[in-house]
Amino acid sequence: MSTVVAQSLHVFGLRSHVANNIFFFDEQIIIFPSGNHCVKYNVDQKWQKFIPGSDKSQGMLALSISPNRRYLAISEIVQEKPVITIYELSSIPCRKRKILNNFDFPVQRFISMAFSPDSKYLLTQTSPPESNLVYWLWEKQKVMAIIRTDSQNNAVYQVSFNPQDNTQVCVTGNGIFKLLRFAEGTLKQTNFQRGEPQNYLAHTWVSEDKIIVGTDTGKLFLFESGDQRWETSIMVKEPTSETGNLEVIRESESLIQFPTISSPVPSYEQVMMASNNSQLAMPQVFAIAAYSKGFACAAGPGRVLLFEKMEEKDIYRESREIRIPTDPQSNERSQSDKQDVLCMCFSPSEETLVVSTSKNQLYSITMSLTEISKGEPAHFEYLMYPLHSAAITGLATCIHKPFIATCSLDRSVRIWNYESNTLELFKEYQEEAYAISLHPSGHFVVVGFADKLRLMNLLIDDIRSFKEYSVRGCRECSFSNGGHLFAAVSGNVIHIFATTSLENISNLKGHTGKVRSVVWNADDSKLISCGTDGAVYEWNLSSGKRETECVLKSCSYNCVTVSPDAKIIFAVGSDQTLKEIADSSILREISAFDVVYTAIVISHSGRMMFVGTSVGTIRAMKYPLPLQKEFNEYQAHAGPITKDQCLLTVAEDGCLFTWKVFDKDGRGIKREREVGFAEEVLITKTDMEEKAQIMLELKTRVEELKMENEYQLRLKDMNYSEKIKELTDKFLQEMESLKTKNQVLKTEKEKQDVFHRERIDDLLDKQSQELQDLECCNNQKLLLEYEKYQELQLKSQRMQEEYEKQLRDNDETKSQALEELTEFYEAKLQEKTTLLEEAQEDVRQQLREFEETKKQIEEDEDREIQDIKTKYEKKLRDEKESNLRLKGETGIMRKKFSSLQKEVEERTNDIESLKREQVKLQGVIKSLEKDILGLKREIQERDETIQDKEKRIYDLKKKNQELEKFKFVLDYKIKELKKQIEPREDEIKVMKEQIQEIHSQSFIKTLPQFPAELERFHKQNTQLELNIMELWQKLRATDQEMHRERQKERDLEALVRRFKTDLHNCVAYIQEPRLLKEKVRALFEKYVQRADMVEIAGLNTDLQQEYARQREHLERNLATLRKKVVKENELRRTDYVRIMQENVSLIKEINELRRELKFTRSQVYDLEAALKLTKKIRPQDVPETVPSEAMPSIAPTMRLNEQQETGRIIEMQRLEIQRLREQIQEQEQVPGFHPLSVVRLPSLLESEVDFEVQTK
């Protein structure tokens, strides 16, 4: 039995949370994700082709298309594992080119991808906490480089390649803007972030080295080679009322306020969570796209700005604004344009801009329209139609019309046409819609809302409610097959309503849990229901009672359906099985293979069955059901409904799919009968009358406009005729002026011709004269050259005659010499022949002697061979013994070699231990650096407190100056009082005794304590500076030690490498024992030198001892210096104390003088009262600041000697005070001397008050 096959036909929906979710394949085709597919949509011809996702996929995360438009990369999660699939778009259908699923690094998901300019490399970014940036050679599935972009779990939003360079990439995220370059197998950062880190949401390359980056605060930055060159902020603008009234959307279309999407992509969800906390959110730049004139960027909700590059400067200016229009049919029009633009893309010719928003909508605009609308913002249009943005909760279809009805949690009801693949009707409501059902005629729809159940008419351009029922939270509703009844579920009760009378005719009660699904049989006599209580009931509608029941408490049913003959019930639920129920019993259970079935339906023909799963797939199988696992599985969601050859599926991500159904052999399932769809529509009488009235008004308006246009045309013709006359007159005048100009130019041309002819004649005459001169000169030269030629010819003839004479002489001498040589050699030949005969005779004699010697030699050779044989056999025995001895030596050498290998391993272990020590030292250095930073902060705080103290000292100095002024006033008072003191010696003696008594009894401590806090701060400051110097010295010492250890490590590595190379060369002589022995001995002499090692170790210990000795010496010097500083501080302190004591004694004397003046004043007043010169006035009642003019009648009656004595005493005190002031000023001029300036002198008013208290 052949299985059922389903093929995707069309999809209504978009998944906006997929990164980079829209781009152009060519000028007419765009690609976007929907469901678990990527859709190729032709904008002009309106067809769709599908690129299916991977099997068992849990959803797409990111897309990327190659620059040559040949490859598409899709990031998915398949069975809890990340997978990257690369499709070849040029093949039909698109085929998988490569699958990247084996990773040598930790990864949870890939959130962003990008192809290189030549499409050979792929750049992928993983999600936190790994946050790895991976550079792939994807054709070979090879990782070229990997680097961690962030270590603080910040979100990374986008990665991209330089459009001109394969090796340069850019990464942006929360506080991340990095430019990296691929070189020598690694990715290295080439820029350094300056300034405060921003939340960089998107970026794009506008040239080879320039990048535009947008942030969540509405700022745009231009970076050139990693350095910031330009910055601007996007201002928030509210849309005007004029733009809100523009009717750019069809009346049947609308846009709603979408609820928040639970998107896994951080580029929208995390940023929006942060921005929702503030009331006035800044415009966030979620997307940027570059084009030839500049770039386009998202500028907050419902707004896109175009920036163009200025010619004279390397900056960009805002040129156009594009808005998402408000919808006149939406309940909340202000919300329709408050959706963020998440992705945007220009067509290859840059003629069209397409954007996707956070509410699953696709918009487009022609770029030429933006140039037309100057001054006012342009508006987007829907690319297709308004789409659902939340989970679709209800799906219904009808028989008489090709309609699909859907309702969603986005509070909308939509009517789709699956033949034309368009949106017919759409309306938004205040409440969420949970269930929907279409009447078989296609004219009515019943919708279950959160608060009530509504029965509505489908009009030509509206969905209008005409009956409401108080059924709250209706999660399931269904019209009967005949359309005369409909059922609505409220909790565990099923309400049956009549469509004609609109009355509730029955309530079916029996379920103990919520009813999840209801279905009618073919003749509408029975109703089957299932619920979460594990019960499947078959109800008889005539009696309102249950006929059959099947209860299984362990299963919570999700959906139920019935066979066409109404004999068998099929139910699916939470126990991962498909149950076949008949006569209140379960006939068969078919396993779902580890998934939960969420929906089930049987075709009208009864030969196909489809089930939906909880993992987002549908399974198509033949009916009757096969015994084995024989079905086809496709990616989809939620509950499907079928009508003959068309299957409909809806998804929780807001997508609606239509599928074509046929068997495995490719044959379509034949329909039982072919009936055309009805074309009637409903319209109200008032609407008809309004439309007729509007048509009449429009006709009259058209007539008026025709007349007005004709009148305007006549006026324009008259204006144009007048303008043509003016232009002709003007052109005639210009022609006359041009003719005159032409005549003038002709005369000038003739003059120029005459002038040029004369000039040419002069030049020709001059040239002929010069030519004659040159001919004369050349003729003279030729004559001279000819004479020279004649002389040379005579000379050559003489030389030829001489040479011929020499040749004749040479021939004669040659013939004579030849004759002499022939005679000489003939005589020699005769002598040689005689000698040859004698030699032949000698040879014969020598042959005879040779035979005899040969015999003797053979006999001697036999004896010698025997001797040599015995000799070499003895040598062979000796060599064997030496060979055995050499084998023993080689064994010893092998042992030595193994010992050397052990030493090498020990050296490597030492190197590793040194590395560990180095790491520890680095940790110590870091901790010391932290301590130094803490000490620096403490020093800064102490400096701030010192500054505060110095400010206080300055204030005290000001107060001291004011006291000096007050003292001057008192001196003046003292002079006035001196004139009033009567000189009486007895009374002065009494007063002196009283002054001595007061001096001995009371000493007023008016000087405040020395501010010990400032001194303590100075000490702490010096101590901290010394500690910092010591720490810096230790840090430098550790750095030097670290460098020495590194140098040792490099030397040891070089030694090991040399030893390895020498050992490798030595192994080449393994077949030659003698050479091997020499090489091993040379190795031993070269590398094993104990004396040198001992010397080096001793040298190192001497260096360390010398370093320790110098360090101890420096520490001792430092301790002595510290002691000296402490002693000097103590000496300074004693000086300060001494000066303060002197100051105290002076102040005490001043106070004594004040008391003396007070007492003398009282005595004077007492005496004057006794003499009745004036009234008795107590000194306490006299104010201190009374000037001398207040007492003009007081006359002094003191003696001259006493007055002179007191004046002399006061003058001496004044001189002493002046001397002390000069001393204080000299001390203040000494650098580093500050404590005296902080001594706070007591005020004169306070001392006087104290004295008055004591006298009382």
Side-chain angles (χ1 to χ4, degrees):
M1 184 183 291
S2 60
T3 58
V4 179
V5 178
Q7 181 181 357
S8 302
L9 286 180
H10 201 84
V11 65
F12 305 91
L14 168 71
R15 296 184 65 184
S16 62
H17 66 272
V18 178
N20 193 17
N21 54 34
I22 187 167
F23 34 78
F24 278 89
F25 176 65
D26 55 25
E27 196 64 35
Q28 288 83 27
I29 298 174
I30 63 170
I31 298 176
F32 60 89
S34 182
N36 198 40
H37 296 73
C38 276
V39 183
K40 292 174 69 176
Y41 176 68
N42 191 305
V43 179
D44 295 335
Q45 301 176 10
K46 309 298 182 184
W47 54 256
Q48 290 184 354
K49 293 183 180 179
F50 294 88
I51 304 171
S54 303
D55 294 336
K56 299 181 181 180
S57 172
Q58 296 171 337
M60 298 181 184
L61 299 175
L63 303 179
S64 180
I65 192 169
S66 61
N68 59 10
R69 311 289 174 182
R70 289 187 59 189
Y71 306 109
L72 173 67
I74 302 176
S75 169
E76 299 174 282
I77 298 293
V78 180
Q79 294 181 341
E80 305 297 334
K81 294 182 180 179
V83 174
I84 296 176
T85 309
I86 299 172
Y87 291 86
E88 189 171 352
L89 298 175
S90 57
S91 63
I92 300 175
C94 299
R95 64 182 181 89
K96 294 182 180 180
R97 182 69 178 266
K98 288 292 178 183
I99 299 176
L100 309 178
N101 55 7
N102 295 322
F103 309 111
D104 298 333
F105 48 87
V107 57
Q108 293 182 2
R109 61 182 63 191
F110 292 97
I111 57 176
S112 183
M113 300 183 294
F115 277 96
S116 62
D118 58 0
S119 305
K120 292 182 180 179
Y121 301 96
L122 181 67
L123 193 67
T124 60
Q125 175 66 47
T126 66
S127 60
E130 295 87 7
S131 297
N132 289 323
L133 182 66
V134 189
Y135 191 91
W136 297 84
L137 181 61
W138 63 268
E139 283 280 3
K140 298 182 180 180
Q141 300 182 4
K142 181 181 179 182
V143 176
M144 304 296 290
I146 184 171
I147 187 173
R148 187 169 185 181
T149 54
D150 183 62
S151 60
Q152 299 178 357
N153 291 339
N154 288 328
V156 179
Y157 302 138
Q158 187 181 355
V159 298
S160 66
F161 272 97
N162 187 328
Q164 307 293 331
D165 189 358
N166 282 349
T167 61
Q168 190 175 18
V169 299
C170 178
V171 183
T172 54
N174 189 358
I176 302 168
F177 173 71
K178 293 184 178 181
L179 290 174
L180 301 105
R181 187 171 290 280
F182 175 73
E184 299 177 357
T186 57
L187 285 167
K188 298 179 180 177
Q189 186 174 353
T190 59
N191 70 319
F192 298 97
Q193 296 188 25
R194 299 181 178 88
E196 295 183 1
Q198 303 279 341
N199 190 1
Y200 300 107
L201 299 181
H203 70 268
T204 187
W205 296 80
V206 292
S207 66
E208 187 175 355
D209 56 350
K210 295 177 183 177
I211 306 174
I212 296 289
V213 186
T215 69
D216 63 343
T217 57
K219 291 185 178 180
L220 292 173
F221 298 96
L222 173 63
F223 291 96
E224 183 177 1
S225 301
D227 298 327
Q228 182 179 335
R229 301 296 186 195
W230 174 71
E231 176 184 355
T232 187
S233 296
I234 299 171
M235 302 302 293
V236 180
K237 295 180 181 179
E238 292 297 329
T240 61
S241 60
E242 295 179 359
T243 59
N245 294 327
L246 288 173
E247 296 181 357
V248 294
I249 308 176
R250 294 181 304 168
E251 290 183 357
S252 61
E253 293 176 342
S254 179
L255 191 65
I256 60 171
Q257 179 187 4
F258 296 87
T260 305
I261 300 172
S262 59
S263 172
V265 178
S267 62
Y268 181 67
E269 183 188 37
Q270 295 179 359
V271 177
M272 290 306 295
M273 286 175 64
S275 65
N276 288 335
N277 296 329
S278 60
Q279 294 180 354
L280 296 174
M282 298 296 291
Q284 297 172 349
V285 184
F286 285 108
I288 306 177
Y291 68 113
S292 58
K293 294 182 180 179
F295 65 92
C297 70
R303 192 160 163 248
V304 172
L305 295 180
L306 297 180
F307 285 82
E308 292 183 1
K309 187 176 181 181
M310 298 181 69
E311 295 179 358
E312 62 273 6
K313 296 181 181 179
D314 197 10
I315 60 175
Y316 293 82
R317 63 176 179 85
E318 180 183 341
S319 60
R320 295 286 183 273
E321 179 182 359
I322 310 173
R323 284 187 178 274
I324 294 175
T326 58
D327 195 341
Q329 291 190 356
S330 176
N331 287 331
E332 297 180 6
R333 297 188 182 182
S334 62
Q335 296 297 322
S336 60
D337 59 345
K338 291 187 178 179
Q339 46 185 334
D340 289 296
V341 176
L342 297 185
C343 185
M344 60 178 61
C345 182
F346 285 96
S347 62
S349 64
E350 298 181 356
E351 181 63 26
T352 308
L353 173 63
V354 177
V355 300
S356 65
T357 68
S358 59
K359 296 179 181 177
N360 292 4
Q361 304 300 318
L362 288 173
Y363 293 96
S364 68
I365 191 170
T366 305
M367 294 301 292
S368 58
L369 294 178
T370 62
E371 297 176 359
I372 294 171
S373 60
K374 293 183 178 179
E376 295 183 356
H379 288 81
F380 283 105
E381 294 180 353
Y382 283 109
L383 182 67
M384 297 182 288
Y385 24 72
L387 303 170
H388 280 297
S389 67
I392 299 174
T393 56
L395 172 68
T397 185
C398 62
I399 297 172
H400 292 168
K401 290 189 177 183
F403 283 173
I404 307 168
T406 58
C407 63
S408 171
L409 294 178
D410 57 16
R411 306 181 215 168
S412 67
V413 174
R414 298 170 196 257
I415 307 299
W416 311 87
N417 190 319
Y418 59 82
E419 276 200 338
S420 61
N421 295 324
T422 56
L423 179 65
E424 293 285 339
L425 291 174
F426 159 49
K427 193 164 185 180
E428 176 193 352
Y429 297 90
Q430 296 291 341
E431 302 85 16
E432 293 179 347
Y434 296 130
I436 193 170
S437 180
L438 262 176
H439 193 272
S441 65
H443 295 313
F444 311 104
V445 64
V446 60
V447 184
F449 290 95
D451 59 343
K452 59 187 70 177
L453 179 71
R454 292 176 181 171
L455 185 62
M456 296 181 282
N457 286 326
L458 298 182
L459 304 179
I460 188 171
D461 57 356
D462 192 13
I463 303 174
R464 191 170 298 174
S465 175
F466 68 92
K467 181 63 177 176
E468 294 183 353
Y469 300 95
S470 59
V471 179
R472 291 184 175 274
C474 177
R475 298 279 178 172
E476 186 69 25
C477 62
S478 176
F479 272 103
S480 63
N481 295 320
H484 61 290
L485 300 174
F486 65 90
V489 175
S490 176
N492 56 0
V493 180
I494 304 171
H495 304 277
I496 307 297
F497 297 92
T499 309
T500 53
S501 63
L502 304 177
E503 293 180 356
N504 184 5
I505 61 173
S506 178
N507 292 324
L508 306 179
K509 299 179 180 180
H511 283 279
T512 58
K514 290 184 179 180
V515 178
R516 299 296 297 275
S517 178
V518 294
V519 65
W520 298 83
N521 66 349
D523 58 359
D524 296 335
S525 61
K526 295 178 183 179
L527 182 72
I528 297 94
S529 64
C530 69
T532 58
D533 54 356
V536 177
Y537 295 146
E538 185 177 0
W539 305 85
N540 189 331
L541 295 179
S542 59
S543 62
K545 296 181 180 179
R546 290 177 291 190
E547 285 195 351
T548 63
E549 61 182 36
C550 179
V551 180
L552 184 65
K553 296 291 186 181
S554 61
C555 176
S556 175
Y557 287 108
N558 294 323
C559 190
V560 68
T561 189
V562 65
S563 61
D565 56 4
K567 292 181 179 180
I568 301 174
I569 300 170
F570 298 94
V572 293
S574 60
D575 58 352
Q576 298 182 359
T577 58
L578 168 61
K579 297 178 178 61
E580 194 172 343
I581 303 170
D583 297 330
S584 301
S585 62
I586 299 173
L587 299 180
R588 189 163 50 142
E589 291 187 1
I590 300 171
S591 174
F593 304 101
D594 298 330
V595 296
V596 175
Y597 286 147
T598 57
I600 184 169
V601 73
I602 297 178
S603 68
H604 287 258
S605 61
R607 284 178 278 177
M608 295 175 287
M609 180 179 288
F610 302 93
V611 290
T613 67
S614 60
V615 296
T617 61
I618 62 168
R619 292 179 178 177
M621 57 189 77
K622 276 286 190 179
Y623 179 75
L625 296 175
L627 298 175
Q628 299 175 353
K629 183 181 178 182
E630 187 177 352
F631 56 80
N632 287 337
E633 191 168 10
Y634 305 96
Q635 294 292 333
H637 240 3
I641 293 179
T642 183
K643 180 179 184 299
D644 291 340
Q645 291 185 341
C646 188
L647 171 72
L648 310 174
T649 62
V650 291
E652 289 182 1
D653 53 6
C655 298
L656 166 63
F657 276 87
T658 62
W659 305 75
K660 183 181 179 182
V661 179
F662 50 89
D663 61 13
K664 194 173 182 181
D665 298 331
R667 300 190 303 273
I669 308 300
K670 292 183 179 179
R671 293 188 179 185
E672 295 175 358
R673 60 190 180 91
E674 190 71 28
V675 180
F677 291 114
E679 296 182 357
E680 297 85 1
V681 293
L682 293 180
I683 186 166
T684 62
K685 187 178 179 180
T686 56
D687 290 341
M688 287 290 290
E689 291 174 353
E690 287 177 0
K691 288 185 182 296
Q693 185 66 28
I694 291 169
M695 286 175 67
L696 288 173
E697 292 176 357
L698 290 173
K699 283 180 181 178
T700 56
R701 180 64 178 160
V702 167
E703 293 295 331
E704 292 174 358
L705 287 173
K706 281 183 179 178
M707 294 174 64
E708 188 177 353
N709 286 333
E710 289 175 358
Y711 177 68
Q712 293 292 335
L713 285 171
R714 284 196 296 272
L715 290 176
K716 286 181 179 179
D717 289 337
M718 293 171 65
N719 291 327
Y720 287 146
S721 61
E722 290 177 359
K723 286 183 180 179
I724 287 168
K725 287 180 181 179
E726 291 176 358
L727 288 172
T728 51
D729 295 337
K730 185 178 179 181
F731 286 138
L732 288 172
Q733 291 176 2
E734 288 181 356
M735 286 171 65
E736 292 295 331
S737 63
L738 288 171
K739 283 180 181 179
T740 55
K741 283 182 182 179
N742 193 9
Q743 192 67 30
V744 171
L745 290 171
K746 280 183 180 179
T747 54
E748 288 181 358
K749 179 178 177 297
E750 290 174 356
K751 290 179 181 178
Q752 293 290 333
D753 289 340
V754 173
F755 174 73
H756 286 303
R757 286 196 195 95
E758 294 175 353
R759 183 77 180 276
I760 288 167
D761 293 337
D762 295 337
L763 289 172
L764 288 172
D765 295 337
K766 188 176 181 181
Q767 185 183 7
S768 60
Q769 184 65 35
E770 289 178 355
L771 186 63
Q772 289 176 1
D773 295 338
L774 285 171
E775 284 179 354
C776 294
C777 182
N778 288 329
N779 289 329
Q780 292 177 1
K781 288 181 179 179
L782 284 171
L783 289 172
L784 293 172
E785 293 294 330
Y786 183 73
E787 290 176 356
K788 287 182 182 178
Y789 173 73
Q790 292 291 334
E791 291 177 357
L792 290 171
Q793 193 173 8
L794 292 172
K795 190 174 181 181
S796 64
Q797 288 178 357
R798 286 196 297 272
M799 290 176 69
Q800 189 174 2
E801 290 174 356
E802 289 176 359
Y803 286 138
E804 288 177 354
K805 185 177 180 181
Q806 288 179 2
L807 283 171
R808 287 194 295 271
D809 295 339
N810 287 332
D811 289 337
E812 291 176 357
T813 54
K814 183 179 177 182
S815 59
Q816 290 177 2
L818 185 61
E819 289 176 356
E820 291 175 356
L821 285 171
T822 51
E823 291 175 358
F824 175 73
Y825 280 112
E826 284 177 356
K828 266 193 173 185
L829 185 61
Q830 290 177 358
E831 291 178 359
K832 292 292 181 181
T833 52
T834 55
L835 289 172
L836 183 61
E837 291 174 355
E838 293 176 356
Q840 286 177 351
E841 185 66 27
D842 293 335
V843 165
R844 285 192 290 273
Q845 182 66 30
Q846 286 177 359
L847 283 172
R848 287 192 293 271
E849 293 176 356
F850 174 72
E851 291 293 333
E852 293 177 359
T853 54
K854 183 179 177 182
K855 291 178 182 179
Q856 294 177 359
I857 288 168
E858 285 177 353
E859 294 174 356
D860 295 335
E861 287 297 326
D862 291 336
R863 288 193 297 272
E864 287 180 0
I865 286 167
Q866 192 66 29
D867 295 336
I868 290 168
K869 186 178 180 181
T870 55
K871 179 181 177 183
Y872 279 104
E873 285 177 354
K874 186 177 179 183
K875 274 189 177 183
L876 183 62
R877 288 194 296 272
D878 296 337
E879 288 294 329
K880 285 181 179 179
E881 291 175 358
S882 65
N883 195 5
L884 291 172
R885 189 171 64 254
L886 287 171
K887 282 182 180 179
E889 290 178 355
T890 54
I892 294 167
M893 287 297 175
R894 283 176 183 169
K895 290 180 181 179
K896 288 183 178 180
F897 179 69
S898 62
S899 64
L900 287 171
Q901 280 185 340
K902 289 180 181 178
E903 288 181 0
V904 170
E905 290 176 356
E906 290 175 358
R907 290 294 174 86
T908 55
N909 292 329
D910 294 339
I911 290 167
E912 290 178 356
S913 63
L914 287 171
K915 285 181 179 178
R916 287 194 292 272
E917 289 179 0
Q918 182 181 354
V919 171
K920 290 179 182 178
L921 288 171
Q922 287 178 354
V924 172
I925 289 166
K926 288 180 180 178
S927 63
L928 290 173
E929 287 176 351
K930 289 180 181 177
D931 295 339
I932 289 166
L933 289 173
L935 291 170
K936 284 183 178 179
R937 284 196 294 271
E938 192 173 354
I939 289 167
Q940 190 174 1
E941 292 173 358
R942 296 294 172 83
D943 289 337
E944 290 175 355
T945 54
I946 288 167
Q947 289 177 1
D948 294 336
K949 295 292 182 182
E950 287 179 351
K951 287 180 181 178
R952 188 179 172 192
I953 290 164
Y954 179 75
D955 295 336
L956 291 173
K957 282 184 178 180
K958 280 188 175 180
K959 194 169 183 180
N960 197 3
Q961 290 176 0
E962 293 175 357
L963 291 173
E964 291 292 335
K965 293 178 182 177
F966 189 63
K967 181 179 175 297
F968 178 78
V969 174
L970 291 176
D971 289 338
Y972 182 78
K973 281 186 180 183
I974 289 167
K975 290 179 181 178
E976 292 295 328
L977 289 172
K978 283 178 185 178
K979 296 177 183 178
Q980 299 174 5
I981 294 170
E982 186 177 359
R984 293 181 182 181
E985 292 180 355
D986 297 331
E987 292 175 359
I988 288 171
K989 289 180 183 179
V990 173
M991 282 189 276
K992 284 182 180 180
E993 291 174 359
Q994 290 176 355
I995 286 167
Q996 288 177 0
E997 289 175 1
I998 291 167
H999 178 67
S1000 61
Q1001 289 176 1
S1002 63
F1003 175 72
I1004 301 171
K1005 296 181 180 180
T1006 59
L1007 186 66
Q1009 293 182 356
F1010 183 79
E1013 186 179 359
L1014 184 62
E1015 186 178 359
R1016 180 167 58 83
F1017 283 155
H1018 280 295
K1019 286 184 180 180
Q1020 288 180 358
N1021 198 357
T1022 54
Q1023 186 66 30
L1024 288 171
E1025 288 178 354
L1026 293 172
N1027 291 335
I1028 288 167
M1029 291 296 293
E1030 185 177 356
L1031 288 171
W1032 273 111
Q1033 289 174 0
K1034 289 182 180 179
L1035 184 61
R1036 283 194 289 271
T1038 52
D1039 284 335
Q1040 291 174 0
E1041 289 178 3
M1042 185 176 69
H1043 289 311
R1044 284 198 294 273
E1045 293 296 332
R1046 285 180 180 173
Q1047 187 62 37
K1048 286 182 184 177
E1049 184 181 348
R1050 287 195 290 271
D1051 295 342
L1052 288 172
E1053 288 178 355
L1055 182 65
V1056 170
R1057 284 198 296 272
R1058 288 200 301 273
F1059 180 74
K1060 284 182 179 178
T1061 54
D1062 292 342
L1063 188 63
H1064 180 71
N1065 295 330
C1066 182
V1067 170
Y1069 299 99
I1070 195 69
Q1071 300 296 333
E1072 300 177 3
R1074 185 174 57 78
L1075 292 174
L1076 182 64
K1077 180 180 178 181
E1078 292 176 357
K1079 293 292 182 180
V1080 171
R1081 184 177 294 156
L1083 276 177
F1084 181 78
E1085 291 174 355
K1086 184 176 180 181
Y1087 291 103
V1088 185
Q1089 298 177 0
R1090 297 295 181 186
D1092 293 343
M1093 295 299 289
V1094 170
E1095 284 183 5
I1096 290 167
L1099 184 60
N1100 288 333
T1101 54
D1102 293 340
L1103 286 172
Q1104 290 178 357
Q1105 289 176 0
E1106 180 65 22
Y1107 171 71
R1109 187 180 63 77
Q1110 290 180 2
R1111 185 172 179 176
E1112 290 175 357
H1113 175 67
L1114 291 172
E1115 287 179 352
R1116 286 197 297 272
N1117 289 338
L1118 186 61
T1120 54
L1121 288 171
R1122 286 178 180 171
K1123 290 178 182 178
K1124 287 180 179 179
V1125 168
V1126 171
K1127 287 181 180 178
E1128 288 179 358
N1129 287 331
E1130 289 178 354
L1131 291 172
R1132 287 286 179 87
R1133 189 174 180 182
T1134 54
D1135 291 338
Y1136 298 159
V1137 172
R1138 180 179 56 78
I1139 293 167
M1140 282 192 294
Q1141 288 175 354
E1142 292 177 356
N1143 203 354
V1144 168
S1145 62
L1146 290 172
I1147 291 168
K1148 186 172 70 174
E1149 291 178 0
I1150 290 168
N1151 290 329
E1152 289 173 357
L1153 287 171
R1154 287 173 182 167
R1155 285 193 294 273
E1156 184 179 353
L1157 287 172
K1158 290 277 186 179
F1159 188 77
T1160 53
R1161 187 187 299 166
S1162 63
Q1163 292 292 328
V1164 167
Y1165 283 121
D1166 291 336
L1167 291 172
E1168 287 176 350
L1171 295 173
K1172 296 181 180 180
L1173 296 173
T1174 183
K1175 294 181 179 180
K1176 185 175 182 181
I1177 301 172
R1178 297 298 298 165
Q1180 289 85 356
D1181 300 331
V1182 180
E1184 293 180 4
T1185 59
V1186 176
S1188 59
E1189 292 79 8
M1191 296 178 289
S1193 60
I1194 299 173
T1197 57
M1198 297 179 66
R1199 294 181 186 178
L1200 186 61
N1201 55 358
E1202 291 177 357
Q1203 186 177 3
Q1204 289 176 355
E1205 186 178 357
T1206 54
R1208 189 169 61 254
I1209 291 168
I1210 290 167
E1211 190 67 29
M1212 289 173 64
Q1213 294 295 332
R1214 188 183 291 112
L1215 291 172
E1216 184 68 21
I1217 289 167
Q1218 188 175 0
R1219 183 183 65 79
L1220 289 171
R1221 282 179 184 167
E1222 290 174 357
Q1223 188 175 358
I1224 288 167
Q1225 289 177 359
E1226 289 175 0
Q1227 292 292 335
E1228 283 179 351
Q1229 290 176 1
V1230 175
F1233 184 85
H1234 297 290
L1236 278 178
S1237 62
V1238 302
V1239 176
R1240 185 175 180 271
L1241 293 173
S1243 64
L1244 294 174
L1245 293 172
E1246 290 176 358
S1247 60
E1248 286 181 2
V1249 170
D1250 294 337
F1251 177 74
E1252 287 176 2
V1253 170
Q1254 288 181 1
T1255 54
K1256 285 181 181 179

